[in-house]
Amino acid sequence: MSTLKINNLSKKFQTNDFYSLENVNLEINAGDIVGLVGRNGAGKSTLLKLIAKSYIPTSGTIEYNGNNIFNNDYILKDVGIMIEPVFYSYMTVKENLEFYLEVHGKQEFKKNIDDILELVDLSKKKNNKPENFSFGMKQRLSLAIVLVDEPDFLILDEPFVGLDPYGVQELLEILQSWVQERSISMIISSHQLSELESICNRFVMLEDGKMKDIQIEGERSLGQYFTGGKDNK
Amino acid sequence: MKTMFCPVFRTVYKKKEAKICLLFCALPLFLIVTSLLPTNFMQLSGDAGSMSCMEFFEAVIFVQFQLTLPSIAFMYLAITCIHDEINKGNLYLYKDIPRIKIFLCKSISLLAWYGIYLMSTFFTSVFTYYVYVIKQPYASGVFFPTRLGDVQYIIIGLLGTISTIIVSLLLVVVLSTFLNNGASLIIGILFTLFCSIAPNLETINVIFPTGFLYTYESIGFSKAILFVLLISVIYLCVIGAVGIYKIKRIEF
């Protein structure tokens, strides 16, 4: 059985006369690390927000472990969602992680806090408030919050955006070590194609709200796929 | 709900806006400060030996209400807890916990903070009464008033004011789920202003929780209490129904 199954999913915003997503079908199995690519406005964030239940679909269904996520609550309790870097800027790093665990009734994962902060290189800042953190630090804090309860499935929307090359590398290493240590599934959208290639084992593309699977053959890179041969990493 | 309340309450009381709200508890202490200055600002007067401690407390709550500033501070706190969190995407932190439960927890947290504010105002009022007011000729020196009519006036006054603040806070909570900060705040302030002048309005005073302050004697104290509670419950039910409808449809 698929971990995540999307059936004929469509989304049309009230203010638009076109569909942002149209009849999208996707299956993600256990262990799949799916790279979601596409131009700006192709519908990547819309799809991820629908999976995260922050948008309501116009039609279609999304099933997580066989349950329609829109018919039930608490279905996403083992899903980590990082659509944008979110946290309470007036609470310390540690308080943010504690809040996340307490609000989901997962206090047993409090023992993970120090290890996660070590992983994202924020252990020395655990008693600091993130309001004056750099963008990279905010991204890493957001990732720490998402990872602290050891989710089975990760939804990451443009996690590398706004980061300098060093920050991208750091975040990539964190995700790679996390994926290697655990058998999790992930859907991750990004414009950083080479970074996606280093972590994903499958790619799907959105174009004008419609989805297609990408088969990378031979020595071709994801960048070459987009440019028809010319490497554009 | 119990599991969620503590962490959600922490996100409310740790806000700077929450601490600003609590500053208004110090209002009665200004009476002591102004008594040391050559000014008529915040000077109390009354018949000799007429003011008990509870009457002083009721007067403080009424002045805070008339000032509007504490109400605005609480409404602003409500807006930052709801509208700003929806806008900034903080709701992602709650994943798919039922939206109604999240907003109920936030509303209860706001009301709990208002309860702490009331308690703190009570303590500063009692302190001011026994340190400063008791030495003034208009003070009676007793905690509760001796006349039944005065006790009833305090109860009607406090109940009406507190109910209005609770209703206006929940109104702003619901409005801020779909309106911008300015619009939510203006509607909340207008509601509070209408309620503050309600006792002086004939006929339509009965549709506001504060409207029975001067007329309770004519309809009877028990009936007036019942009406204040009934009107407040009706407001809360209507606001709650709109809230449930809107909250379920939030997209962020």
Side-chain angles (χ1 to χ4, degrees):
Chain A
M1 188 174 66
S2 310
T3 304
L4 187 86
K5 192 174 179 191
I6 298 173
N7 305 303
N8 300 315
L9 189 70
S10 298
K11 176 67 183 175
K12 182 175 170 291
F13 292 97
Q14 277 183 346
T15 48
N16 292 347
D17 56 1
F18 58 89
Y19 277 85
S20 298
L21 276 184
E22 203 170 355
N23 285 325
V24 167
N25 290 287
L26 177 68
E27 281 191 37
I28 299 178
N29 299 311
D32 275 356
I33 310 293
V34 179
L36 178 62
V37 293
R39 292 174 183 277
N40 284 337
K44 302 189 296 295
S45 294
T46 304
L47 175 62
L48 297 183
K49 286 183 174 188
L50 281 160
I51 302 172
K53 289 172 79 171
S54 69
Y55 282 165
I56 301 161
T58 307
S59 62
T61 59
I62 301 176
E63 289 171 25
Y64 182 73
N65 288 333
N67 297 303
N68 185 338
I69 64 168
F70 294 102
N71 287 348
N72 302 285
D73 297 314
Y74 301 106
I75 300 291
L76 303 181
K77 66 180 190 303
D78 295 322
V79 175
I81 301 165
M82 190 179 142
I83 303 287
E84 46 197 282
V86 286
F87 45 78
Y88 288 99
S89 58
Y90 52 89
M91 286 169 28
T92 66
V93 166
K94 196 177 175 197
E95 284 170 345
N96 266 291
L97 270 76
E98 285 171 344
F99 162 79
Y100 184 76
L101 292 174
E102 284 174 33
V103 91
H104 293 289
K106 292 183 170 181
Q107 282 90 335
E108 68 271 22
F109 290 101
K110 277 191 179 177
K111 61 180 183 336
N112 287 354
I113 290 178
D114 288 334
D115 290 342
I116 288 290
L117 291 178
E118 192 69 43
L119 181 73
V120 300
D121 197 22
L122 284 175
S123 52
K124 285 179 187 158
K125 303 277 184 189
K126 69 176 178 185
N127 295 317
N128 291 32
K129 291 177 182 172
E131 49 199 352
N132 297 321
F133 280 8
S134 68
F135 189 78
M137 288 162 82
K138 286 177 180 171
Q139 287 279 75
R140 280 183 277 137
L141 168 58
S142 204
L143 192 62
I145 293 172
V146 166
L147 298 180
V148 73
D149 64 343
E150 300 180 19
D152 298 329
F153 192 100
L154 277 179
I155 303 167
L156 307 176
D157 189 16
E158 304 278 7
F160 308 115
V161 78
L163 296 177
D164 58 25
Y166 180 74
V168 169
Q169 192 55 39
E170 264 188 340
L171 202 58
L172 204 59
E173 282 167 13
I174 294 165
L175 288 174
Q176 280 167 334
S177 72
W178 191 264
V179 168
Q180 279 162 10
E181 286 168 23
R182 293 164 180 80
S183 172
I184 63 163
S185 309
M186 191 190 302
I187 181 164
I188 174 169
S189 82
S190 179
H191 289 291
Q192 321 273 107
L193 303 181
S194 57
E195 279 75 19
L196 275 191
E197 275 183 300
S198 67
I199 193 169
C200 299
N201 53 28
R202 193 183 143 201
F203 300 92
V204 287
M205 188 168 88
L206 272 172
E207 205 170 54
D208 297 328
K210 296 184 176 94
M211 178 164 280
K212 54 180 179 181
D213 256 283
I214 301 173
Q215 303 297 331
I216 309 291
E217 291 158 2
E219 294 296 308
R220 268 184 115 193
S221 70
L222 195 56
Q224 284 172 321
Y225 181 89
F226 270 101
T227 55
K230 191 182 167 191
D231 204 340
N232 191 25
K233 285 181 186 180
Chain B
M1 185 70 88
K2 226 188 210 171
T3 329
M4 264 187 77
F5 174 75
C6 288
V8 171
F9 182 58
R10 215 158 53 224
T11 66
V12 172
Y13 80 74
K14 280 185 177 274
K15 278 179 179 280
K16 278 182 196 143
E17 291 84 354
K19 283 152 195 159
I20 290 169
C21 287
L22 223 50
L23 286 178
F24 289 100
C25 306
L27 184 76
L29 300 174
F30 277 93
L31 209 58
I32 301 174
V33 177
T34 54
S35 71
L36 303 170
L37 303 170
T39 173
N40 285 330
F41 178 64
M42 282 189 77
Q43 296 303 307
L44 288 178
S45 60
D47 296 338
S50 63
M51 187 180 276
S52 66
C53 184
M54 279 306 288
E55 282 170 298
F56 177 67
F57 172 59
E58 194 273 336
V60 168
I61 294 290
F62 190 69
V63 169
Q64 284 175 333
F65 182 57
Q66 293 284 331
L67 264 179
T68 326
L69 275 177
S71 308
I72 293 173
F74 268 97
M75 285 178 210
Y76 187 69
L77 174 65
I79 287 168
T80 60
C81 288
I82 307 294
H83 188 262
D84 287 1
E85 289 200 15
I86 295 170
N87 257 8
K88 288 178 184 170
N90 283 39
L91 288 187
Y92 286 118
L93 294 172
Y94 297 87
K95 294 199 259 193
D96 66 338
I97 293 173
R99 299 259 176 90
I100 301 297
K101 197 173 168 182
I102 299 168
F103 285 92
L104 201 57
C105 263
K106 285 185 179 288
S107 304
I108 294 171
S109 298
L110 285 165
L111 295 181
W113 194 245
Y114 178 64
I116 290 169
Y117 165 82
L118 277 180
M119 288 294 288
S120 308
T121 304
F122 176 75
F123 288 124
T124 54
S125 301
V126 171
F127 176 82
T128 307
Y129 186 83
Y130 286 106
V131 167
Y132 169 74
V133 178
I134 202 163
K135 294 171 191 159
Q136 308 307 311
Y138 52 80
S140 66
V142 293
F143 192 77
F144 287 108
T146 45
R147 281 187 56 238
L148 182 66
D150 293 338
V151 175
Q152 289 176 343
Y153 182 86
I154 291 171
I155 294 171
I156 289 281
L158 284 176
L159 193 65
T161 308
I162 293 168
S163 303
T164 302
I165 300 286
I166 291 171
V167 169
S168 62
L169 268 180
L170 292 180
L171 176 69
V172 171
V173 163
V174 169
L175 290 175
S176 63
T177 59
F178 61 97
L179 292 179
N180 63 39
N181 291 358
S184 307
L185 197 58
I186 286 170
I187 297 172
I189 292 169
L190 284 177
F191 177 76
T192 312
L193 283 177
F194 269 115
C195 289
S196 69
I197 58 166
N200 304 311
L201 303 171
E202 278 184 36
T203 320
I204 62 162
N205 65 331
V206 293
I207 62 166
F208 296 103
T210 45
F212 297 89
L213 196 60
Y214 305 137
T215 55
Y216 76 92
E217 279 169 328
S218 59
I219 60 167
F221 175 69
S222 312
K223 259 190 190 168
I225 290 282
L226 197 70
F227 279 134
V228 172
L229 292 174
L230 193 67
I231 289 161
S232 305
V233 169
I234 290 170
Y235 274 114
L236 293 177
C237 288
V238 173
I239 292 168
V242 175
I244 289 169
Y245 178 82
K246 288 287 183 186
I247 287 163
K248 279 185 177 172
R249 285 158 184 79
I250 292 173
E251 291 190 326
F252 54 95

